[in-house]
Amino acid sequence: MAEHADAPEETPPGAAGSPARTPPEVDRVAASRKAVAARRARASLKRDVSMRVIEPQQLFERALADPTSPAGTMRVPEFLTSLPAIGEGKRDRILEELSISPVKRLGGLGARQRAVLRRFLDARFPPQRARGGRSRLVVLAGPTAVGKGTVAGYIKEHHPEILLSVSATTRPARPGEIDGEHYYFVDDAEFDRLIETDQLLEHATVHNKYRYGTPRGPIEAALQAGRTVLLEIDLQGARQVRAAEPSATLVFLLPPSWDELVQRLVGRGTEGAEERARRLRTAKRELAAQHEFDFRVVNEDVASAAREVVESVQVPSR
Ligand SMILES: Nc1nc2c(ncn2[C@@H]2O[C@H](COP(=O)(O)OP(=O)(O)O)[C@@H](O)[C@H]2O)c(=O)[nH]1
Ligand SMILES: Nc1ncnc2c1ncn2[C@@H]1O[C@H](COP(=O)(O)OP(=O)(O)O)[C@@H](O)[C@H]1O
């Protein structure tokens, strides 16, 4: 093929004057690989938006910052159908309302179209606001394997002034886990007693299996002494804490991408395929609840995520 590249008879009709050259085979292979990679990157970004790992506005800003990026080369209709609760019918109505042609790519929108799309996104997906009057009781929640335990462990090591609450659980101890340090390992009867005597601030059955609960005493004592208290608990627990202590600061930990979350779950190697699939279904539901939280922290890098969690109590409400 390559030897014909310059042959004039290969010039397609209509390519007036431009000596259309068929690119050498290697270039075409490279180009098609690049196109496949770009499609994959766009698919992965769309997954992030539909799973709510990133906000639609974030994808849009990335597109504007770099029109040649996966976000920038995404067509507007593709973007719209990746948004939560927008199907093809709604997509077409929105395009018409915003007067944006379906062939447009996000990175190629004109100033007016950018402005109307941004207004549409802000109205439909209002940016999150931290509530005022929040206390030093910090709840850290987030989907399975996002790194809650890792970030909480980092905070425990680097911030001895912060109390990391130790939960009670009916789950058996894993090798290396110490009673009273990682959890208070109790049986069902003891867990019932803790509930009946009102010793738990919240409690829940997690992953349909074992019961977990937050002992109330140590938290109240630490808060009274002016310390920050960190609870690393699941979504049901976070909701109960908010109901019991509305001033609690709620932080939702996010993965950098959905693909990375799956990688972390697989990489941790503590669950089989069936359990992993079940946890990922739960993760999708949990991600959909992130607007109930005051802050979203992306766990890209453990130290930075830990810093953001620690600083959340100091952030004034907006
Ligand atoms: N509601 C509630 N959830 C908890 C509590 N302690 C731990 N959890 C959650 O229970 C889940 C399972 O924890 P664990 O048994 O350590 O397993 P792993 O985190 O999946 O390795 C995690 O999502 C924790 O956030 C608690 O006191 N209350
Ligand atoms: N920022 C990070 N970057 C890369 N891997 C991480 C990060 N944070 C945690 N991990 C890894 O991800 C896996 C899940 O973390 P873990 O703390 O057990 O999650 P969770 O407590 O939310 O279920 C672990 O293998 C952990 O080492």
Side-chain angles (χ1 to χ4, degrees):
M1 286 300 263
E3 67 268 25
H4 297 301
D6 290 325
E9 63 269 25
E10 292 239 333
T11 306
S18 64
R21 292 170 38 140
T22 311
E25 185 70 12
V26 276
D27 284 4
R28 263 180 287 154
V29 170
S32 109
R33 264 206 207 115
K34 232 173 118 181
V36 169
R39 258 202 307 281
R40 275 213 191 110
R42 282 197 297 274
S44 158
L45 261 183
K46 280 193 283 182
R47 205 156 41 241
D48 290 345
V49 173
S50 68
M51 292 294 191
R52 302 177 202 235
V53 168
I54 65 171
E55 289 174 321
Q57 285 95 328
Q58 282 174 283
L59 192 154
F60 185 45
E61 294 310 323
R62 285 186 207 173
L64 300 186
D66 181 1
T68 65
S69 65
T73 54
M74 190 180 290
R75 290 195 194 275
V76 180
E78 266 190 290
F79 172 59
L80 289 177
T81 42
S82 73
L83 302 179
I86 295 186
E88 293 183 1
K90 239 185 221 167
R91 170 198 66 190
D92 294 342
R93 280 199 299 281
I94 295 166
L95 283 171
E96 220 177 286
E97 254 170 54
L98 304 182
S99 304
I100 296 178
S101 149
V103 299
K104 279 282 182 187
R105 293 179 190 271
L106 284 176
L109 294 174
R112 186 202 63 81
Q113 293 170 324
R114 288 179 187 191
V116 292
L117 186 53
R118 193 178 276 125
R119 261 204 306 280
F120 164 80
L121 293 174
D122 286 345
R124 198 169 182 111
F125 307 97
Q128 210 157 349
R129 300 252 179 268
R131 296 160 305 143
R134 286 172 290 100
S135 75
R136 296 195 156 271
L137 178 58
V138 182
V139 175
L140 180 65
T144 184
V146 67
K148 299 181 295 294
T150 306
V151 170
Y154 184 96
I155 293 173
K156 185 177 174 186
E157 195 181 326
H158 292 84
H159 293 273
E161 75 282 8
I162 294 177
L163 175 75
L164 178 60
S165 162
V166 178
S167 299
T169 181
T170 57
R171 139 161 114 56
R174 293 174 186 154
E177 283 183 332
I178 300 165
D179 186 41
E181 190 178 320
H182 296 96
Y183 283 104
Y184 293 106
F185 296 101
V186 300
D187 59 15
D188 269 306
E190 175 63 6
F191 203 92
D192 285 339
R193 196 189 66 80
L194 291 173
I195 297 172
E196 278 154 25
T197 50
D198 200 26
Q199 290 189 61
L200 299 180
L201 175 61
E202 61 76 36
H203 61 92
T205 300
V206 181
H207 300 314
N208 286 335
K209 260 194 180 149
Y210 299 109
R211 292 191 288 170
Y212 294 82
T214 305
R216 194 191 286 279
I219 294 176
E220 286 175 355
L223 286 174
Q224 243 158 38
R227 292 175 73 187
T228 292
V229 176
L230 183 66
L231 310 185
E232 188 253 288
I233 59 179
D234 87 320
L235 176 66
Q236 313 166 68
R239 285 177 171 154
Q240 288 181 47
V241 171
R242 187 171 181 172
E245 301 284 344
S247 65
T249 297
L250 304 192
V251 182
F252 195 86
L253 201 61
L254 284 162
S257 69
W258 176 262
D259 293 349
E260 171 68 19
L261 183 72
V262 176
Q263 287 278 313
R264 286 185 190 172
L265 183 59
V266 173
R268 185 170 67 180
T270 43
E271 288 82 19
E274 201 176 311
E275 176 64 18
R276 283 203 302 266
R278 202 160 64 80
R279 285 185 179 221
L280 288 174
R281 282 196 298 277
T282 306
K284 189 179 172 189
R285 275 202 308 278
E286 289 173 337
L287 284 161
Q290 60 186 273
H291 61 273
E292 297 172 29
F293 287 68
D294 295 295
F295 297 98
R296 298 155 37 104
V297 170
V298 179
N299 178 22
E300 174 112 50
D301 159 71
V302 176
S304 317
R307 195 187 55 243
E308 285 184 55
V309 173
V310 170
E311 287 174 358
S312 69
V313 282
Q314 283 135 24
V315 174
S317 56
R318 280 165 284 163

